[in-house]
Amino acid sequence: MEVRSFGLLGPLDVVLDGHRVHVPPGKRRVVLAALLLRPGQVVGIDELVELAGGSRNALQTTVGRLREDLGRPDLVRTKPGGYLLDVRPDEVDVHRFDQLEPPQALALWRGRPFADIGSDALERDHLPALTEKYLATLEARIETDLRNGKHERLVPELRTLTGQNPTRERMWAQLIVALHRCDRQTEALQAYEDIRTRLAEELGLDPGKDLQKAHQQVLTADNRPKSRNDLPGDIPDFAGRAEDLDEILAAVPSGCVAITAIDGMAGIGKTTLAVRAAHRLARKFPDAQLFVDLHSYTEGVEPRTPSDALLALLTALGVPAYDIPDGLDARAARWRAEMAHRKALVVLDNAGSAAQVRPLLPGTGLVLVTSRRRLVDLDAAHTVSLDVLSEKDSIDLLTGIVGKRADLDDSREIVRLCGYLPLAVRIVGARWRTRPAWTAQDVTRRLTEHRLTELTAGERSVAGAFALSYQQLTPDQQRLFRRLGLHTGEDWDAYLAAAVIGSTRAEAERLLDELLDVHLVQQMENGRYRCHDLLAEHAKASAEQEEAEEAVLRILDFYLHTAALAEFRMSPGRPQIDSVVRYRPFDPPPLATGRQAVKWWDTERRNLRAAVYLAAYRGYYAHAWQLPHHLAIFLLLRGHGRERIELQNVALAATHQLGDLKARAEALRGLGSAYIARHDAQPARHLHEALELMRQIGDRRGQASVFRLLGIIARESNELDKAQEHFERSLELMRVAGAPTDEANVLHHLGLVYVLRGQNDEALAHLESGLALFEEHDDVPRSAIALQDIAFTHYYLARDDECVACLERSLPAFQECADWRGEAIARAEFAYVALEFGMPGKALEMARVAAELCRANVGLADDDEVLRTMDQIEDHAGELEVAFVLAIRAELEGRLAEAVRYGERSLRGIKKARRRWMGDRVLGQLCRLHLALGDRETAIRYGEEAVQCAERLRQPRAVAVAKRILATATEPAAPAS
């Protein structure tokens, strides 16, 4: 839809096709203004020549240039005897002014009309009428405000207006009424005398009816009104907060005073909610609805003392000034006495502390208190802590302000950039509403580029609101708040906060609690804090460059130091690298065990990822490669294949900037290791490059590690001779380097090669040698994996008791290091062998626990969603094992069709995970399932494939099991009885 608007009520403003158009000063502006005054009507040539000056030919030239300026030649049409501007009256502010309600009409007035047109004739003929229309509309709006009880706020405005319009009687009458309603009778009478004298001396007139009526009200009215409503007007575009509003409305007192404290961060909508609730409750409190702004967070205004607030409240109830005591205690007593027999509610807005509020509490009635601070020491019957709006409510609020200016996706992005903060949404909505040329894309771009700058409209400013909260902090609180703004992760704990300011955890926790009380940080769960993204942006902007650099380095050092410690706890024998940590945390998290290390990793994974990118962005390249290096073992443990590749790519790019061969070699080795699961040419290329660099710098342990990874690639490609060669070379170098746990790891992988050759005794010897070294050096995670592989070697050797014993030993080992994924895979394997050993109850128990482990730790209730998540993060081995165990569980629970579905998914997963040694198991199960479903032909096909797969494994027991299953499928059907 075409967006057009034309403005004369102030400087000339032309918007066409959504873009602002500049019309140069001179004759063209005069002609355009004359045409705009009569849109859609012909304006005569002679009239235009007289206004613009010159000749008819000159006018023709002027019109031609005006058409060029507008870029729309069809807008200014040539008609017999003159010209016509093809626009609608409602597109021109002069004409739209008459169609709107006073507040909306007055918003169109941008200054002196025709201010930059340059036509004395237009000003002479039209400015007086427009000015009169503006003043009449202004008086109508003031009259409405008087009816709504806004007299206190009107007095300053009317003082100014009567000074600018010294003989305008209606404004003087309104000033007299406003002063009278504020119980300022002396000033009201003086105002009447001032205008009466001026009218007599300057114009020789007596006061008119409006002035006489206002004067009479002052002389005869009862200055102690029975009812009073000081509430600000309710807003029409209120959105959301239904539950919060219901909670407040339910807090209606019976006999004693009821206090509801509404707290929340700046701009969250506390006052809006309190005012709406007060309007909804007004009928239940007919004697008075009082509103006092305590100004604890008002720029340029000192916070109101309790004594001053009591003076305002008592005056509002009609107590004469001479009858109001001076002392605080005496005023508080008089206030309680005045309220004792009234049904009244009081809104105390912008409270700074409970001490400011307590003297203002009456003995009965309802009190609504709003504050940016949690008033924990105020005995409030109800406390409502406001959070940001939901996405839906934010969009509703935006739409209520600007109308349907954007589709749903654009609106979602706009409110997201506003942080779902009501004040931010209102400011954006107000700016957008008054800028018809803007599109949703314009709003989004501006918010993306300069968010806090854009969130300002007139006296409203998100940054300004935040600044007032910040200014009331102590220096220590300010320092912590500023530095936390540099944290780019999702949340943090007290240990990170301590590191960023170089303090103890206890001191940081105290400061965080204080920031929490004033809503400058949030606590989503116990011990975890976060900052609203707009507040974080403000905090970051408040830090000087030198402090910001130190804060970033402290954050990165905290994560790097703690990640290295966590890695050491999980894998004590892993080679150490020279850390670049400068600021060691004074009070680091307690990571005494592998379980604590993994729990810390689980909690901080997203923050660690953010830290890698922060390091790369800020130029801390050593941190950018060392963090992924220390994270690799955890990401492997949890199956985060995609993220591991992503972060190792960042690490490799960072080493390019350093020129450090050791760092580059480690990053290449890490990236090659991460890529192994993808089964393409990437891992080998990166690993060979890493191997060459490690040879150059003489890093034998590094070379050994690369040979081990090359061996894994060869083994998974079924190149067993090549794999054995790589593993044996790795083993030789590991022993020279004196790396016992890495030596154990190579022995383990070499044992698996022997398993695939069918040489089970040799396999068992290598696997058990590796396990002994793992256990000797307390490497619990790899001990658990070794036990699992030893168990299956015993299975192939038909040592069933030893197989079960090793699987049972592996489970507590996985639990000790909090490796739920490894435990789930071990239980899946256990379920399979238990089924083969004739223990269906044990198999079902293992399968159910394995599935529950995955659901609980992935955080999803649906098994298929768990599998999809594993696929998305590229945990192919985990996805295969979970699908397989779900097939076993479904089979044992009699859900055969579902078991087939999971079995077929397992079959597809074998190729992705390159676990070909599982092929005979999955194919055998599918054979059994299809036979149970009555599809003998398909069952036989799967059974034959299972036998072929088992034969390629060179494992007699696997072949025997597959042939047994096939034989069952090929047996003739029993004759019908």
Side-chain angles (χ1 to χ4, degrees), residues 534-593:
L534 291 176
L535 271 171
E537 197 167 322
H538 178 73
K540 181 167 59 176
S542 302
E544 297 292 338
Q545 183 175 354
E546 185 176 344
E547 181 186 34
E549 290 301 322
E550 180 187 331
V552 168
L553 187 54
R554 283 182 174 276
I555 290 168
L556 295 177
D557 280 355
F558 169 78
Y559 283 122
L560 182 56
H561 174 82
T562 315
L565 180 59
E567 180 197 38
F568 175 76
R569 291 288 181 247
M570 281 298 295
S571 184
R574 187 170 166 85
Q576 301 298 301
I577 58 176
D578 293 332
S579 176
V580 294
V581 170
R582 186 188 309 174
Y583 295 106
R584 290 174 63 89
F586 181 78
D587 198 353
L591 301 181
T593 66

Side-chain angles (χ1 to χ4, degrees), residues 173-230:
Q174 289 172 329
L175 173 60
I176 292 166
V177 170
L179 287 167
H180 167 58
R181 292 185 182 175
C182 292
D183 292 323
R184 294 157 70 174
Q185 279 71 24
T186 302
E187 294 176 65
L189 291 171
Q190 184 60 53
Y192 175 77
E193 186 60 26
D194 290 344
I195 182 59
R196 187 195 65 76
T197 303
R198 183 184 292 274
L199 290 172
E201 292 178 354
E202 296 183 10
L203 302 176
L205 297 175
D206 292 327
K209 290 183 179 179
D210 285 342
L211 280 171
Q212 292 178 23
K213 182 180 178 181
H215 184 223
Q216 193 64 24
Q217 286 178 359
V218 178
L219 295 175
T220 62
D222 179 5
N223 294 331
R224 301 283 298 276
K226 293 182 179 179
S227 64
R228 174 85 175 214
N229 187 333
D230 286 346

Side-chain angles (χ1 to χ4, degrees), residues 869-901:
T869 299
M870 287 182 158
D871 180 50
Q872 288 166 3
I873 67 174
E874 296 189 18
D875 181 8
H876 302 314
E879 180 188 2
L880 165 61
E881 294 281 3
V882 173
F884 183 50
V885 82
L886 290 173
I888 291 174
R889 188 190 69 179
E891 178 185 7
L892 291 171
E893 291 176 345
R895 295 176 281 111
L896 301 184
E898 187 176 336
V900 168
R901 180 166 64 84

Side-chain angles (χ1 to χ4, degrees), residues 34-89:
L35 295 173
L36 286 171
L37 287 169
R38 282 185 271 173
Q41 301 177 29
V42 176
V43 182
I45 290 175
D46 292 340
E47 182 181 344
L48 291 172
V49 168
E50 182 179 352
L51 286 169
S55 63
R56 285 175 171 251
N57 288 338
L59 175 63
Q60 189 175 5
T61 301
T62 298
V63 170
R65 289 177 178 171
L66 176 60
R67 286 170 173 157
E68 292 176 2
D69 295 334
L70 298 175
R72 292 282 304 274
D74 58 316
L75 275 182
V76 183
R77 297 186 180 182
T78 303
K79 294 292 183 179
Y83 294 96
L84 175 148
L85 188 65
D86 188 14
V87 298
R88 301 189 310 273

